[in-house]
Amino acid sequence: MNTNNEKRATLAAIVTIGDELLIGQVVDTNSAWIAQKLNLLGIPVYRMTSVSDAPNEIAAVIDELRPVCDLIIITGGLGPTRDDKTKQTLCNYFNTHLVQNDEVLAHIERLLAKRNIPMNELNVAQAMLPETCEVLFNPLGTAAGMWLEKDNTVVVSMPGVPFEMKAIVEQNLIPKLKKNFKTQAIVHKTIITSGIAESVLAQQLNEWETSLPEHIHLAYLPSPGQVRLRLSAYGNDEHELQNEIEKISFKLNDIIPANIVAWQDEAIEVTIGKLLKDKNLTVGFAESCTGGNVAHLITSVAGSSAYFKGSVVVYSNELKNKLLNVPFEVLNQYGAVSKETVEILAKEARNLLNTDFAIAISGVAGPDGGTAEKPVGTVWFALASEKEVVAEIAHFGDDRERNIQKASIFALNLLRKHL
Amino acid sequence: MNTNNEKRATLAAIVTIGDELLIGQVVDTNSAWIAQKLNLLGIPVYRMTSVSDAPNEIAAVIDELRPVCDLIIITGGLGPTRDDKTKQTLCNYFNTHLVQNDEVLAHIERLLAKRNIPMNELNVAQAMLPETCEVLFNPLGTAAGMWLEKDNTVVVSMPGVPFEMKAIVEQNLIPKLKKNFKTQAIVHKTIITSGIAESVLAQQLNEWETSLPEHIHLAYLPSPGQVRLRLSAYGNDEHELQNEIEKISFKLNDIIPANIVAWQDEAIEVTIGKLLKDKNLTVGFAESCTGGNVAHLITSVAGSSAYFKGSVVVYSNELKNKLLNVPFEVLNQYGAVSKETVEILAKEARNLLNTDFAIAISGVAGPDGGTAEKPVGTVWFALASEKEVVAEIAHFGDDRERNIQKASIFALNLLRKHL
């Protein structure tokens, strides 16, 4: 083990294990989460790799990464069940063997007792750990993390269940990494833009982009309804980089003032939550095609009850009429997806929910229900405030999931523009 | 190019390119999606790798994978902006150079005109493609896919924007793969279980699991509120494997009959949708702590308007009273998170929404709002039907996001048990 005085410079790799990844049954979210944490420590990630849980594959990927990386973080393959082969593979690789860890065994016993689950031999086996490893205690689960070393490479193995892995990283891995590794300064700044296509944005930013210093990199990250600009600065002094990147990004205010949604990488529901809270205002929704997703986004933010009291999902014409007084004549004459309908929905929702703002969304999410006049992807929005009701239309694409997502972001952005 | 008569046996690798992946800013969902598609073709995936967009890294990973894989599928690094280096890297790697593709240029022109975006030199550059590549046409975007070959390895490069990549794969890549590669039969079957811990499940299934033939593999895949069992059968005859795997999985009916939610890997909202539709029944929700997520899940299924008319999100006590007539005395005496409150919410929601069933959910999602008596994670549920109102309580954990997710699944499972 290195002492504080001779910390190593670091390049990390992340490995996720599991056939469920390779057949696409499970999306690997662990790698991105771990990469974020390493980034905050200034430890760059060289690669992410997903491999099968076959023992020779796990050993092969460690072999490949060791010449390049000082730190290999592995998740997956540590459950109680027999499809897990990682622990034995690591023992073979590090020339050690499994021994019972009494502390871990006691923890497993306590944990299972608390959940009223009987202890069985598979759980007992989970307390068997490589003799030479340092245990990274798992406060939320039965599979412990392990820290192993070979020829100056550290291999960390953790269970794949995300919330258990996260608890191990936060509580036990990060402090240990800080103690053992040298870290370089990396500062990122992300600016969220909307209402401008990636290629147009790139052309408008061309001069500014060309003037960036060599140690600052720019990336364009498009997603439904927005393009994020990410600046990354590499150097020694975090504080200096922070100042530099702020100064450079601030120039965007002169180039694309109307397109900047946020000066940091935060979801629009977070941005809006802050604005509403600051101004002591409330919002509610009348959702048709978004089916509750806008309310879900708003309430995914802790503390949202300060500005969100409730919402209605009026999927049928019957409920548009019964809950929000849209006359059947309006629904018949103009349709549920119309300026007329959303304006009434927004105005009535504002009254019903007793909020400062109400947003109504009604559209054709697809895949069915489109017409020549209103094809799939057509969505009407209205915002009602004390002083006005405004409506907007948008034309999205053919994909139901994306249409719901885009319409939700559009609705929140409509609110943002009025805050 | 190989002819139909001498198709190759295949092992594939998936590579995703982008610094945004390595810093954890974006979760790679492309790899899992592509892996699913390859799996359906019987093309196993050897590895998934995420690398930086540095040219030497892209070349290095192709070099490493070529000895093992016949097919390397790359996504990312093909946008109009200057952070994209993939195309030039591929040209260098395959000893070719960029030439203008008139068909692609015309497509880009049409696409931008339709969106009212002016064509600029960055867009023109997108029509420059490696001379020796076969173009995989991108119907939804400006970055074309490419099919390149070297020493019997096929390298496919596609843009990273998921919906564009998906369109290229569906329309152009899959037909080309079918023509060029031999495929082996892989059959998966996933059984969804709930209400039983992974280790207990493993013990109960021990004898059955031990009796599985060698070419059939079992994996346990735990997620919030459920454990999925995945059987994978490898062989030559798909039909035979299908029969075998059905027969084997059917035995689970004798071992864990009460814990089986579904006999296929489908989201519970899909299972419920089918049940409601078959029985011609409708459902609505009164959501507090889940904030609209249950309605969002239900409406994420196309055709859900057949059984879902609408829903209310009553986040505040004021709206629980105003919209669903929960007396303030009840809210004050028992609290918003109580059997008494959810029973009234469910009953009143059923009346208001005019449905066969209504489910009410009220709990402490966290991170704040917990008390000694009702800590964070405490959630009350009620189901109202024509003949009864039943309530259940659940105790989840400390994490807001997981609590919302678990409570949503629990609510849907409560409904399933009554269908």
Side-chain angles (χ1 to χ4, degrees):
Chain A
M1 192 58 40
N2 293 329
T3 71
N4 262 325
N5 299 330
E6 35 166 345
K7 289 182 183 177
R8 332 169 185 181
T10 318
L11 192 59
I14 301 171
V15 177
T16 47
I17 294 177
D19 290 343
E20 69 276 16
L21 300 169
L22 296 181
I23 68 166
Q25 190 165 31
V26 168
V27 170
D28 168 26
T29 56
N30 283 354
S31 294
W33 189 88
I34 293 169
Q36 281 183 5
K37 294 292 163 183
L38 292 177
N39 229 262
L40 289 174
L41 294 174
I43 298 177
V45 174
Y46 162 70
R47 262 193 202 180
M48 297 166 172
T49 311
S50 298
V51 299
S52 143
D53 54 21
N56 57 331
E57 271 308 305
I58 300 170
V61 76
I62 299 177
D63 268 337
E64 285 169 30
L65 292 167
R66 268 181 54 209
V68 186
C69 298
D70 320 283
L71 174 63
I72 300 170
I73 296 183
I74 302 174
T75 75
L78 293 180
T81 50
R82 65 178 58 199
D83 55 320
D84 297 328
K85 295 152 195 160
T86 310
K87 212 157 53 175
Q88 192 54 57
T89 305
L90 289 175
C91 273
N92 298 344
Y93 195 88
F94 286 96
N95 294 317
T96 182
H97 60 280
L98 295 173
V99 294
Q100 184 170 301
N101 185 303
D102 293 335
E103 204 186 336
V104 171
L105 185 63
H107 166 68
I108 294 173
E109 279 169 352
R110 271 196 309 274
L111 208 65
L112 294 177
K114 205 173 131 193
R115 296 180 191 164
N116 285 319
I117 300 171
M119 181 99 174
N120 66 28
E121 77 231 28
L122 293 174
N123 301 125
V124 175
Q126 292 199 280
M128 299 292 287
L129 296 170
E131 190 172 28
T132 60
C133 86
E134 286 189 58
V135 173
L136 298 171
F137 192 69
N138 179 352
L140 300 180
T142 53
M146 292 162 267
W147 172 291
L148 290 145
E149 297 203 27
K150 186 173 194 168
D151 307 336
N152 276 321
T153 304
V154 170
V155 174
V156 172
S157 167
M158 295 180 289
V161 180
F163 78 100
E164 295 185 19
M165 178 278 290
K166 290 177 187 177
I168 296 174
V169 170
E170 300 272 18
Q171 294 181 26
N172 298 309
L173 180 59
I174 289 176
K176 209 163 156 60
L177 290 173
K178 280 185 179 162
K179 225 183 279 172
N180 282 273
F181 288 102
K182 206 188 288 176
T183 56
Q184 75 157 310
I186 309 180
V187 173
H188 301 288
K189 183 168 181 76
T190 300
I191 298 103
I192 318 252
T193 72
S194 99
I196 184 166
E198 185 186 359
S199 61
V200 179
L201 186 62
Q203 208 176 37
Q204 295 198 8
L205 298 186
N206 182 51
E207 197 182 325
W208 171 80
E209 188 177 346
T210 311
S211 75
L212 293 176
E214 275 228 339
H215 66 286
I216 297 190
H217 303 174
L218 174 70
Y220 293 78
L221 306 167
S223 65
Q226 45 192 36
V227 177
R228 292 182 297 169
L229 297 170
R230 189 195 60 229
L231 289 160
S232 306
Y234 300 82
N236 295 315
D237 184 331
E238 189 182 327
H239 187 72
E240 210 171 87
L241 293 174
Q242 196 81 55
N243 284 338
E244 195 180 4
I245 214 166
E246 289 294 333
K247 224 157 90 185
I248 285 172
S249 60
F250 195 68
K251 290 182 191 157
L252 292 171
N253 238 345
D254 298 328
I255 316 174
I256 46 164
N259 300 107
I260 293 171
V261 174
W263 289 94
Q264 55 191 309
D265 194 12
E266 65 182 15
I268 190 165
E269 58 269 23
V270 175
T271 311
I272 281 177
K274 288 179 188 167
L275 289 168
L276 288 169
K277 213 167 182 176
D278 284 353
K279 296 174 190 239
N280 203 20
L281 295 167
T282 57
V283 68
F285 307 99
E287 300 188 55
S288 184
C289 65
T290 49
N293 191 46
V294 183
H296 165 56
L297 291 176
I298 279 281
T299 56
S300 67
V301 180
S304 47
S305 59
Y307 46 85
F308 177 79
K309 307 294 169 199
S311 205
V312 286
V313 181
V314 283
Y315 221 54
S316 65
N317 279 356
E318 178 200 338
L319 285 181
K320 286 182 182 73
N321 171 267
K322 182 177 175 188
L323 266 60
L324 295 174
N325 305 315
V326 183
F328 281 114
E329 301 79 59
V330 170
L331 290 166
N332 291 335
Q333 187 176 346
Y334 302 101
V337 180
S338 67
K339 184 171 189 284
E340 290 74 12
T341 295
V342 288
E343 285 181 347
I344 299 172
L345 286 174
K347 206 168 133 262
E348 294 286 332
R350 189 173 168 270
N351 287 336
L352 180 71
L353 303 168
N354 194 21
T355 50
D356 297 302
F357 294 100
I359 315 268
I361 308 108
S362 185
V364 190
D368 303 317
T371 62
E373 198 201 343
K374 294 171 189 170
V376 168
T378 307
V379 184
W380 270 103
F381 301 84
L383 173 141
S385 64
E386 198 185 346
K387 62 172 198 270
E388 62 183 344
V389 178
V390 292
E392 289 192 24
I393 190 171
H395 303 280
F396 304 126
D398 292 329
D399 184 82
R400 180 180 182 84
E401 194 188 321
R402 282 177 61 82
N403 286 341
I404 292 173
Q405 208 52 44
K406 281 188 172 184
S408 302
I409 301 293
F410 192 100
L412 292 174
N413 201 34
L414 178 62
L415 174 59
R416 185 191 64 83
K417 290 190 286 184
H418 285 80
L419 284 172
Chain B
M1 191 61 38
N2 293 330
T3 72
N4 263 326
N5 299 330
E6 36 167 343
K7 288 182 183 178
R8 334 169 184 182
T10 318
L11 191 59
I14 301 170
V15 177
T16 47
I17 294 176
D19 290 342
E20 69 276 16
L21 300 168
L22 296 181
I23 68 167
Q25 191 166 30
V26 169
V27 170
D28 168 26
T29 56
N30 283 355
S31 294
W33 189 88
I34 293 169
Q36 282 183 4
K37 293 292 162 184
L38 292 177
N39 229 262
L40 288 174
L41 295 174
I43 299 178
V45 174
Y46 163 69
R47 263 194 202 179
M48 297 167 171
T49 311
S50 298
V51 299
S52 143
D53 54 21
N56 57 331
E57 271 307 305
I58 300 171
V61 77
I62 298 178
D63 267 336
E64 285 170 30
L65 292 167
R66 268 181 53 210
V68 186
C69 298
D70 319 283
L71 173 64
I72 301 171
I73 297 184
I74 303 174
T75 75
L78 292 181
T81 50
R82 64 178 60 200
D83 55 320
D84 297 329
K85 296 152 195 160
T86 309
K87 212 157 55 176
Q88 192 53 56
T89 305
L90 289 174
C91 274
N92 298 344
Y93 195 87
F94 286 96
N95 294 319
T96 181
H97 60 281
L98 296 173
V99 294
Q100 183 170 302
N101 184 304
D102 293 335
E103 203 186 335
V104 170
L105 185 64
H107 166 68
I108 294 173
E109 277 168 354
R110 272 195 309 274
L111 207 65
L112 294 178
K114 206 173 130 192
R115 296 180 192 163
N116 284 318
I117 299 171
M119 180 99 173
N120 66 28
E121 79 231 27
L122 293 174
N123 301 125
V124 175
Q126 291 198 280
M128 299 292 288
L129 296 171
E131 190 172 27
T132 59
C133 85
E134 286 188 57
V135 173
L136 298 170
F137 193 68
N138 179 352
L140 300 180
T142 53
M146 292 162 266
W147 173 293
L148 290 145
E149 296 203 28
K150 186 173 195 166
D151 306 336
N152 275 322
T153 305
V154 170
V155 174
V156 172
S157 168
M158 294 180 289
V161 180
F163 77 101
E164 296 184 19
M165 178 278 290
K166 289 177 187 177
I168 296 174
V169 170
E170 300 272 19
Q171 294 182 27
N172 297 309
L173 180 58
I174 288 177
K176 208 164 157 58
L177 289 174
K178 280 187 181 162
K179 223 182 280 172
N180 281 273
F181 287 102
K182 206 187 289 173
T183 56
Q184 75 158 310
I186 309 180
V187 173
H188 302 289
K189 182 167 181 77
T190 301
I191 298 104
I192 317 251
T193 72
S194 98
I196 184 166
E198 184 187 359
S199 61
V200 179
L201 186 62
Q203 208 176 36
Q204 295 198 9
L205 298 186
N206 182 52
E207 197 182 326
W208 172 80
E209 188 177 346
T210 311
S211 74
L212 292 176
E214 273 227 341
H215 67 286
I216 297 190
H217 302 175
L218 174 70
Y220 293 78
L221 305 168
S223 65
Q226 46 192 35
V227 177
R228 292 182 295 171
L229 298 171
R230 189 195 61 230
L231 288 160
S232 305
Y234 301 82
N236 294 316
D237 184 332
E238 189 181 327
H239 187 71
E240 209 171 88
L241 293 174
Q242 196 82 56
N243 284 339
E244 193 178 8
I245 213 166
E246 289 294 333
K247 223 157 90 186
I248 285 172
S249 61
F250 196 68
K251 291 184 191 157
L252 292 171
N253 238 345
D254 298 329
I255 316 175
I256 46 163
N259 300 108
I260 293 171
V261 174
W263 289 96
Q264 56 191 306
D265 194 12
E266 66 182 14
I268 189 165
E269 57 269 22
V270 175
T271 311
I272 281 178
K274 288 178 189 166
L275 289 168
L276 288 169
K277 214 167 181 176
D278 283 354
K279 296 172 191 245
N280 203 19
L281 295 167
T282 57
V283 68
F285 307 99
E287 299 188 56
S288 185
C289 66
T290 48
N293 191 47
V294 183
H296 165 57
L297 291 175
I298 279 281
T299 56
S300 67
V301 180
S304 47
S305 59
Y307 46 84
F308 178 77
K309 307 293 168 201
S311 204
V312 285
V313 181
V314 283
Y315 221 54
S316 67
N317 279 356
E318 180 199 337
L319 286 181
K320 287 182 181 77
N321 172 267
K322 184 177 175 188
L323 266 61
L324 296 174
N325 305 317
V326 183
F328 282 115
E329 301 79 61
V330 170
L331 290 167
N332 291 334
Q333 189 177 345
Y334 301 101
V337 181
S338 66
K339 183 171 189 286
E340 290 75 11
T341 295
V342 288
E343 286 182 346
I344 300 172
L345 286 174
K347 207 167 132 263
E348 293 285 334
R350 187 172 169 272
N351 288 335
L352 180 70
L353 304 169
N354 194 21
T355 50
D356 296 302
F357 293 101
I359 314 267
I361 308 109
S362 184
V364 190
D368 303 317
T371 62
E373 200 201 341
K374 294 171 190 169
V376 168
T378 307
V379 184
W380 270 103
F381 301 84
L383 173 141
S385 64
E386 196 185 348
K387 62 172 199 272
E388 61 182 346
V389 179
V390 293
E392 288 193 25
I393 189 171
H395 302 280
F396 305 125
D398 292 329
D399 184 84
R400 181 180 182 83
E401 196 187 321
R402 280 175 63 81
N403 286 341
I404 292 173
Q405 208 53 43
K406 281 188 172 183
S408 302
I409 300 294
F410 192 102
L412 292 174
N413 202 34
L414 179 62
L415 174 59
R416 185 190 64 83
K417 289 189 288 183
H418 284 80
L419 284 172

